[in-house]
Amino acid sequence: MERCVVLVDAGYLLGAAASLLAGEPARSRITVDHSVLIQGLRERAESDTGRDLLRIYWFDGAPDRVPQPEHRRLRVMPRVTVRLGALTRSDGRWAQKGVDAAMHAELTELARNRACSDIVLVTGDGDLLPGLMSAKEHGVAVHLWAVQAADGDYNQSEDLVAEADERRVLDRTWITRAVRAKELTGICGAPQPAPRPEIAAILSAPLPEPPAAPAKNGGGAAPVEGPASAPSGTGTEPASGGKGGVPTPKDLAGLGRPAAAHAPPPTNATLRWSSDKGWVERGSGAPGEPPEVATLPMLAQLTTAEQRWADREEDITTVSGDPFEVGQVFARRWIERLASPGQLQQLSTQYPRIPHRIDGELLRYAARFGLLAHKDDQIDEHDRYAIRAGFWREVDARTTTEPAPAGE
């Protein structure tokens, strides 16, 4: 058939674009307008080959082959088919598995079935050389496209370049129509939330020394865990004294009452983040969450069927899946659907922890965007901090603009 097909190795295309625009191949350093990119690929393919487009195949890796937000957006676009390989982590680096094999199989199958007359390959991997040669033997013209190399040299296999029928370079001008380098100003490229005075006061104090083992009757303080890292998006700075680093919630619990706390905890209380039960009295075990906060509505209770459909469409087409942004989107929807502004004020007084039920719903929402860790099906600690920081960033922005409830 007199049509063209485009096979895109997304790892090569976006990695090379990141090297060109941001100086390193990390895809996290760029933002991509996928609709503009796909339209550009289609127009360029039809222009270069003189054939109408049959389809664009987008090959990429994903943890456990679970589609990420960009994949969900791509696969609902006209004439786009997404094929996913595995994305595995080894020695601190991510690597694609099965993507080359899938591209090779698609390339040879299209040529063998004479589904098209021209195939455009956007890749640099020499492993596709046998498939390219097989396609040529079946009478298909193979066009090889490269992304302009940051150093002006080749970023493709020389054997692949030599065997292709036609070769083109996607230069910086073409790439920047759809791809931009990020300006990283804070966590996940987002502005950092302003620190809360009470949390800054806690974090500026030195860490306590680990206490002795608790007495058999249950009295005394609980053992203190070592410091753990926390991203800057939480709006806090590392502790200056003690062991160094950012303290864990149990570390913070042993520091006593913060100087500017809105609602100081009991002196023998344990600070637990979000999905735990908040400030807890060791003597009684009663949760420290006020009844009016514990009964704040969940987003699902505030959302109509029509809104749920619109939310899903927005998640697919607009939300990038960045953890900070995910927290902001969830908070925005929750706030906009509240019946009473006073409920927003009640939530704000609970900073830095999110009420248990709402926090659980927030993390379940975040899991839709592929933010689960590969092995233990838990959201990475760094991402959890970023999700909650985004949530509080949106709450802070809305609290300053919402009128205070009557009587305050």
Side-chain angles (χ1 to χ4, degrees):
M1 293 185 180
E2 301 299 310
R3 294 181 293 188
C4 68
V5 170
V6 181
L7 305 183
V8 180
D9 179 349
Y12 165 76
L13 173 60
L14 300 182
S19 294
L20 179 64
L21 302 181
E24 58 179 285
R27 288 163 61 170
S28 60
R29 292 295 310 277
I30 57 175
T31 57
V32 184
D33 187 329
H34 290 90
S35 61
V36 173
L37 181 58
I38 292 298
Q39 184 62 29
L41 289 170
R42 177 172 187 166
E43 293 174 355
R44 182 70 177 265
E46 291 180 339
S47 174
D48 282 6
T49 64
R51 312 293 186 191
D52 291 335
L53 178 76
L54 172 62
R55 191 172 297 114
I56 295 175
Y57 289 90
W58 185 272
F59 295 88
D60 203 1
D64 293 329
R65 291 185 168 86
V66 175
Q68 303 299 292
E70 64 183 273
H71 303 139
R72 295 201 298 270
R73 288 194 293 271
L74 284 163
R75 66 185 182 181
V76 297
M77 294 181 184
R79 302 292 180 120
V80 177
T81 296
V82 175
R83 297 278 188 260
L84 294 179
L87 192 63
T88 60
R89 192 173 182 85
S90 177
D91 297 328
R93 301 182 64 183
W94 290 100
Q96 295 183 158
K97 300 293 184 183
V99 173
D100 297 337
M103 288 190 71
H104 180 277
E106 200 69 57
L107 175 60
T108 54
E109 194 71 11
L110 288 168
R112 183 183 299 114
N113 293 325
R114 301 186 182 278
C116 56
S117 60
D118 296 74
I119 292 179
V120 175
L121 284 177
V122 186
T123 186
D125 198 331
D127 290 345
L128 284 176
L129 183 61
L132 186 152
M133 297 174 66
S134 175
K136 290 174 61 178
E137 291 171 0
H138 284 87
V140 173
V142 180
H143 305 250
L144 183 65
W145 289 0
V147 176
Q148 179 182 339
D151 56 4
D153 201 356
Y154 284 118
N155 54 13
Q156 293 177 304
S157 162
E158 291 189 20
D159 292 335
L160 207 62
V161 172
E163 198 65 33
D165 294 308
E166 301 283 349
R167 182 173 183 267
R168 296 287 184 272
V169 175
L170 305 176
D171 60 17
R172 180 186 293 268
T173 301
W174 191 93
I175 291 293
T176 52
R177 294 174 186 172
V179 183
R180 296 284 188 275
K182 286 183 179 177
E183 295 182 3
L184 299 180
T185 57
I187 185 169
C188 306
Q192 298 186 32
R196 293 275 184 135
E198 65 274 20
I199 302 304
I202 293 176
L203 291 174
S204 64
L207 296 182
E209 292 298 323
K216 292 182 180 180
N217 61 3
V224 177
E225 296 177 356
S229 60
S232 59
T234 57
T236 60
E237 299 298 331
S240 57
K243 305 171 188 175
V246 177
T248 65
K250 286 186 178 180
D251 292 331
L252 303 184
L255 298 179
R257 174 178 174 174
H262 293 310
T267 55
N268 63 341
T270 299
L271 173 62
R272 298 179 182 174
W273 293 113
S274 299
S275 55
D276 287 335
K277 294 183 178 180
W279 294 106
V280 178
E281 289 274 5
R282 284 199 186 88
S284 64
E289 197 170 81
E292 63 273 14
V293 173
T295 57
L296 284 174
M298 297 170 63
L299 179 60
Q301 297 171 312
L302 301 171
T303 303
T304 65
E306 292 78 7
Q307 288 172 328
R308 188 171 295 108
W309 176 267
D311 290 348
R312 196 65 174 170
E313 287 294 304
E314 182 183 15
D315 291 343
I316 293 173
T317 59
T318 306
V319 183
S320 69
D322 176 279
F324 194 93
E325 182 188 4
V326 167
Q328 287 183 301
V329 170
F330 183 95
R332 170 175 56 81
R333 292 173 182 170
W334 187 83
I335 294 168
E336 289 176 349
R337 295 166 193 174
L338 285 176
S340 168
Q343 293 175 320
L344 176 59
Q345 299 297 329
Q346 292 169 2
L347 174 69
S348 182
T349 63
Q350 294 299 299
Y351 185 92
R353 57 172 300 280
I354 303 172
H356 177 65
R357 295 161 65 246
I358 297 175
D359 183 70
E361 188 182 31
L362 169 61
L363 296 182
R364 288 193 296 273
Y365 170 66
R368 299 180 190 174
F369 295 89
L371 293 173
L372 294 178
H374 179 61
K375 292 184 178 179
D376 55 4
D377 288 334
Q378 297 292 322
I379 295 179
D380 178 78
E381 181 179 12
H382 181 98
D383 288 342
R384 281 189 276 116
Y385 272 100
I387 291 163
R388 290 158 178 162
F391 179 93
W392 283 117
R393 182 66 165 181
E394 189 69 17
V395 170
D396 284 344
R398 299 301 182 108
T399 303
T400 58
T401 58
E402 294 286 343
E408 292 190 1

